[in-house]
Amino acid sequence: MEKCGISKLDLKRRNRMQILRVIKEFGPISRVDVASELHITRAAVTIITNEMIEEGVLVEIGEAPVNTEKLQKGRRKILISINDNYKFALGAYISETEVNIGLSTLNGAVLDKASMIIDDKTMTKDIISFIISKSNEMMDNSCLKKDKVLGLGIGIVPAMWGRLKIFYKDGVLDFSSFIDKVSTGVDLEIKCGNAVGLLALASNDFENYNGYQNNQVFISYGNQINIAVLNKNVLSPDYMSYTYMIEKAIVNPDGRQMEGYPDGSVKAELSRTAFMNAIGEVFSKEKTPVLFEQTNGDKANITIDTLSNAVMRGEEPVVNIVNRFIANFAVLLNNLSCMHFAQRFILHNVELSERQLDYFRRGIAKHVGEDIAERLILSGIDKKNLFSGGCALIIQECFYFKGGMQ
């Protein structure tokens, strides 16, 4: 008779994985509270966590603070947490202009980093060589043997897939050829993914709203607009291969045209290229004297700050274009909110001052309400630490999903 079920090893790994998840979301936390959250016995949690402490995966960090309103009898709760230095992670980020690589702890603290500027003439072998040399160099600099490093996670932006010979296989991105090339010089487990999704994973703060895990939409802004969705703190695989498909969504049915896209699409209305084209149509000494003066008459000098100054001084053509952009962006946020029940929108690759962000939010609120406008925040990922997406991938795959087991 064929036997079905889960093996003891798989059960152990799953239990440890659940405990790590709870500690990540609510920690530092006591064993009693872990048991309550997972609906398993305190004895079981104690046995598992004690073993993980012996291995160095978890650490005890002392007694829980006293709650003067609820004084408990008996022994105070002992808090446990993940040992951030139990293992380390290497991560890399590949865009059209840069290769970014770094080493981090389990909580994402950066220990080392390096970057290389690339252009259309940069060969794939040069990119791979840089990743290999810096990965090994960083481990050597930190005196880390390979058993202390979980692996190397690599995030690659969609615009680079074709150039690096990454193609779809059965509807899923196939990174195997690229991984094989990197593996020739890095003796670690290597994982690759869409950089947009990995940055979304790295930006997740695991915050709960009203006791529930939240849904987040990560929006990477630029000439190409990409989104990734975190559903209850878990990266949705549906958006990992096709993050750029949001560009075909319509935000203004009577809007601008762009070849290959519907009229009034996200690409035609909201991409950086589309926005700058709209500004370019009115940019002149006669129509936009404020903006013209600030940029010395050169469109290449237009920045968010020069546009903001023109708006604050009431330059009507610029005000109209900016407000139209905000109105269309509000439609996008509203649609994403309805589709994914998103409690938070994380806007990446946009640098706005507090005043500029406030203006943006007020414009969104005007069209779709304050509730949605308040959900918009700026990404906290520094441009120099974009490799953190790769680190997040390898930490998720080789630490959390394995329950901290080898």
Side-chain angles (χ1 to χ4, degrees), residues 93-100 118 127 155-157 160 163:
Y93 171 87
I94 304 174
S95 72
E96 298 167 281
T97 59
E98 183 182 24
V99 181
N100 187 246
I118 63 175
I127 293 173
I156 306 172
V157 300
M160 288 292 287
R163 183 171 165 184

Side-chain angles (χ1 to χ4, degrees), residues 226-241:
N226 290 263
I227 70 163
V229 177
L230 287 159
N231 185 4
K232 295 183 178 179
N233 292 330
V234 177
L235 190 61
S236 174
D238 296 337
Y239 285 87
M240 280 301 289
S241 296

Side-chain angles (χ1 to χ4, degrees), residues 263-316:
D263 291 354
S265 68
V266 167
K267 182 73 169 181
E269 292 285 347
L270 298 179
S271 67
R272 184 169 283 140
T273 299
F275 179 80
M276 292 307 297
N277 286 343
I279 291 292
E281 291 171 4
V282 300
F283 182 77
S284 68
K285 188 174 182 179
E286 294 73 28
K287 294 181 180 180
T288 57
V290 174
L291 186 61
F292 195 87
E293 180 183 358
Q294 289 185 98
T295 58
N296 295 319
D298 188 350
K299 286 190 289 187
N301 294 331
I302 296 175
T303 63
I304 290 177
D305 288 337
T306 58
L307 288 168
S308 178
N309 290 335
V311 169
M312 291 301 118
R313 292 173 64 178
E315 190 143 81
E316 188 174 354

